[in-house]
């Protein structure tokens, strides 16, 4: 079945540092890929998505590129802020498993001033 | 309006109580979901409604009973819960069932404690 593997956390960075959170996936067909973010005490929010190979999703300075050859969708940001502290979930949604999104285990990011 | 609204935000109940969680969206979405999320874990799918009909039940115990009165509302009725059911319950919606391009809109959740 489908699966998503995220780099283990937690990740602690200083403000303005470069961020990478690795995500790889296994899926049949051609899934769409997503990054969701969850701030403390809140639900998940879509951060960015990509629907086909070589697509780049971007939002709020975050970027991720759909790499079919390496089955990866790594999240990057050039300069993190304290307000980026949250839990980040990589997810996929494939048309062979309609109704079910598959989530990674989540990576907790803490940014220190 | 791009919000999914959940009530209540917090709920404490005993193992013999009956309570309900409510979820509402006015985005015209035709798919609605209940997820359960334990601390520091990803959300786990419980139920999916598509066009107001239950389309997926992930083998959830019968003490959880979903209901979709109309296309904007989703309820989760709770009865005789166990302490291990304590978790954050998230409602979500999407335009259609998640397929190749559907993103999920989540509510802020109900933090449930079962004593």
């Amino acid at each position: 079945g489908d699966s998503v593997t995220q780099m283990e956390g937690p990740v602690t960075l200083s403000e303005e540092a470069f961020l990478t959170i690795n995500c790889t996936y296994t899926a049949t067909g051609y899934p769409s890929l997503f990054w969701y973010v969850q701030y403390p005490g809140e639900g998940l929010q879509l951060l960015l998505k990509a629907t086909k190979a070589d697509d780049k999703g971007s939002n709020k300075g975050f970027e991720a590129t759909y790499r079919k050859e390496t089955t990866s969708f790594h999240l990057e940001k050039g300069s993190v802020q304290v307000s980026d502290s949250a839990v980040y979930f990589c997810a996929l949604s494939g048309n062979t498993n309609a109704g079910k999104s598959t989530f990674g285990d989540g990576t907790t990011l803490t940014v220190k001033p | 309006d791009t919000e999914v609204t959940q009530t209540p935000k917090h709920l404490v109940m005993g193992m013999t109580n009956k309570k309900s969680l409510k979820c509402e969206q006015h985005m015209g979405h035709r798919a609605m979901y209940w997820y359960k999320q334990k601390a520091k874990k990803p959300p786990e799918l419980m139920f999916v409604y598509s066009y107001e009909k239950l389309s997926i039940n992930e083998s959830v115990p019968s003490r959880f009973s979903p209901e979709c009165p109309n296309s904007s509302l989703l309820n989760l009725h709770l009865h005789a819960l166990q302490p291990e059911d304590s978790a954050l319950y998230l409602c979500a919606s999407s335009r259609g069932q998640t397929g190749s391009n559907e993103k999920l809109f989540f509510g802020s959740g109900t933090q449930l404690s079962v004593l």
Side-chain angles (χ1 to χ4, degrees), chain B residues 21-113:
Chain B
L21 310 184
K22 298 185 183 301
C23 175
E24 191 168 3
Q25 57 87 14
H26 295 288
M27 295 178 278
H29 289 176
R30 303 316 301 263
M32 296 186 76
Y33 310 76
W34 281 114
Y35 283 86
K36 173 182 178 180
Q37 187 181 27
K38 290 281 202 178
K40 301 188 184 301
K41 296 292 187 184
E44 300 171 24
L45 184 65
M46 300 174 71
F47 303 103
V48 181
Y49 274 82
S50 179
Y51 292 84
E52 301 162 49
K53 295 192 186 311
L54 183 65
S55 63
I56 296 176
N57 176 344
E58 289 286 88
S59 302
V60 179
S62 59
R63 58 186 183 268
F64 296 91
S65 176
E67 178 195 21
C68 188
N70 60 54
S71 60
S72 299
L73 295 174
L74 185 66
N75 299 322
L76 185 63
H77 303 298
L78 313 174
H79 174 53
L81 294 193
Q82 304 297 310
E84 59 265 28
D85 296 322
S86 298
L88 181 67
Y89 288 83
L90 293 166
C91 174
S93 70
S94 64
R95 283 187 307 170
Q97 280 201 170
T98 53
S100 62
N101 197 23
E102 295 288 352
K103 62 185 179 185
L104 294 169
F105 291 77
F106 283 88
S108 295
T110 294
Q111 186 65 54
L112 174 67
S113 297

Side-chain angles (χ1 to χ4, degrees), chain A:
Chain A
D2 297 346
S3 68
V4 174
T5 302
Q6 284 183 238
M7 66 182 285
E8 291 187 16
V11 174
T12 302
L13 296 173
S14 297
E15 207 165 22
E16 299 183 4
F18 184 84
L19 168 70
T20 299
I21 302 177
N22 289 339
C23 171
T24 57
Y25 68 90
T26 303
T28 54
Y30 302 94
S32 290
L33 302 175
F34 306 84
W35 277 101
Y36 289 90
V37 60
Q38 186 172 30
Y39 298 101
E42 297 184 14
L44 283 70
Q45 306 174 22
L46 179 69
L47 182 58
L48 53 84
K49 72 172 187 179
T51 58
K52 61 184 188 296
D54 299 325
D55 265 3
K56 177 186 282 188
S58 61
N59 185 27
K60 300 181 182 180
F62 291 90
E63 292 183 341
T65 301
Y66 190 144
R67 301 285 189 202
K68 191 163 176 59
E69 64 276 13
T70 54
T71 61
S72 65
F73 192 54
H74 305 321
L75 182 69
E76 296 183 338
K77 187 176 185 184
S79 176
V80 293
Q81 305 300 311
V82 172
S83 57
D84 294 326
S85 299
V87 182
Y88 292 81
F89 292 97
C90 184
L92 69 82
S93 177
N95 53 13
T96 59
N97 210 7
K100 300 185 182 185
S101 296
T102 301
F103 290 87
D105 285 342
T107 301
T108 300
L109 170 66
T110 301
V111 180
K112 295 187 181 298

